[in-house]
Amino acid sequence: MPMAPTLRLLLASLGAIYVLKAVALSRRLRPIGATGMLVFLFAWPGVIPDSFRERRPAQLIEPGRFLAAWARMALGAASVVLLAVAAPRIPDQLLGLTGIAALLLTVHLGIGDLLPWLLRWAGFGVPLLFDRPWAATSLAEFWSRRWNLVFVEMNQRLFLRPSYRYFGKSGSRFALFALSGLLHELGLSFPAGAGWGLPLGYFLLQGVLVAAEERFRIANRAWTWFWLIAPSPWLFHEPFRRALIVPFYRWLHLLIAQNTGEWYLSDRKSTRLNS
């Protein structure tokens, strides 16, 4: 019996993360306490364990950035719900693309910005996961200092030195983009069972464009966001959207539609739930 796309997504994503965590843990120099290990294994999406070796005094949360992250998460969640409510009236292609944008806003730019601050407050000196990616003025800045910084940390700690030794500076950078493409093939094409090569092509294109930026000294926000967004259907390709994103919103629509609007606005439901 074929494996469901959702199960394939979980298997591929969690499998890759935990294999990389195991590799990083095998290199550790100092032991990690039980609490730090549990947080590292089950609450942190990164693979480098150094931030969990010891507890530090709680770090203050920057109120402005923390509240902005809450706002982005709330806006993203509201967008997900609105898309789900309107899902039957939205063409699949549009639903897939806008649905991914809503999920990225909720998870990456909302939850992904909240989690490091909460862990820092708990005494773990973790790096940021994302650092205001909308401020990037080049693709090089976006990929190296703004987006998915735990992946950047992983590359620097596990893969940069051997790739530099074999490929040199320019070749190693291109190799790391290729690695990112392969990992996204695992997380996107494998669950969908199709679309192979498109996520890899997206990241190879990013590597070429970063090299072009360096060669021609390009630093422009419009350039950056055009080349991030325009080829993004290669990354979140149509088979992935058809197999996972559109069904998710259809399922959420059915879940929401089980009750009327009056039910959601009524106080009687809380009375029934508490009885």
Side-chain angles (χ1 to χ4, degrees):
M1 181 178 177
M3 190 182 300
T6 304
L7 185 57
R8 290 160 68 97
L9 174 64
L10 291 173
L11 177 64
S13 301
L14 294 178
I17 288 173
Y18 280 103
V19 166
L20 291 167
K21 283 180 184 281
V23 171
L25 284 169
S26 71
R27 299 183 173 193
R28 73 178 190 265
L29 301 177
R30 302 196 313 273
I32 301 176
T35 301
M37 182 65 78
L38 287 174
V39 175
F40 170 66
L41 290 176
F42 300 109
W44 184 241
V47 304
I48 303 300
D50 294 5
S51 301
F52 301 92
R53 299 190 192 285
E54 59 184 6
R55 299 285 289 275
R56 304 175 181 180
Q59 298 183 39
L60 293 178
I61 292 173
E62 292 186 24
R65 295 186 67 172
F66 191 70
L67 292 175
W70 273 106
R72 288 192 295 274
M73 183 180 69
L75 178 61
S79 300
V80 168
V81 171
L82 290 175
L83 285 171
V85 170
R89 299 185 295 276
I90 302 176
D92 284 359
Q93 186 168 358
L94 180 60
L95 180 61
L97 292 171
T98 55
I100 286 172
L103 291 171
L104 289 175
L105 179 60
T106 307
V107 178
H108 290 65
L109 300 181
I111 297 171
D113 262 357
L114 290 172
L115 180 60
W117 293 108
L118 294 173
L119 290 179
R120 288 177 176 187
W121 179 74
F124 298 104
V126 298
L128 294 176
L129 294 174
F130 303 90
D131 187 8
R132 293 167 288 196
W134 51 87
T137 57
S138 69
L139 293 168
E141 179 187 356
F142 180 88
W143 292 115
S144 64
R145 299 194 297 275
R146 298 288 184 182
W147 186 261
N148 203 352
L149 298 180
V150 292
F151 187 83
V152 174
E153 181 187 44
M154 177 194 74
N155 283 341
Q156 292 173 342
R157 296 292 298 276
L158 300 182
F159 302 113
L160 183 59
R161 184 175 297 177
S163 64
Y164 189 89
R165 185 166 59 246
Y166 285 107
F167 304 115
K169 178 182 176 181
S170 298
S172 63
R173 181 175 57 197
F174 201 72
L176 294 179
F177 272 112
L179 173 63
S180 185
L182 292 174
L183 290 174
H184 281 80
E185 292 283 359
L186 188 62
L188 299 172
S189 300
F190 173 70
W196 296 101
L198 291 173
L200 177 60
Y202 177 86
F203 281 99
L204 292 180
L205 174 62
Q206 297 299 311
V208 171
L209 293 169
V210 168
E213 284 183 346
E214 186 176 78
R215 172 67 176 82
F216 298 104
R217 298 182 181 179
I218 300 171
N220 181 278
R221 193 167 293 175
W223 154 279
T224 300
W225 285 98
F226 175 83
W227 286 113
L228 288 171
I229 295 173
S232 63
W234 291 6
L235 179 60
F236 300 108
H237 48 62
E238 194 274 337
F240 175 78
R241 302 193 305 268
R242 184 178 64 244
L244 286 115
I245 302 301
V246 172
F248 166 73
Y249 281 96
R250 302 285 190 216
W251 168 81
L252 189 56
H253 173 83
L254 293 175
L255 187 66
I256 293 172
Q258 287 179 351
N259 299 290
T260 64
E262 290 77 8
W263 185 88
Y264 287 105
L265 298 174
S266 173
D267 291 334
R268 289 178 295 176
K269 63 179 184 299
S270 59
T271 303
R272 289 198 299 270
L273 291 173
N274 293 329
S275 61

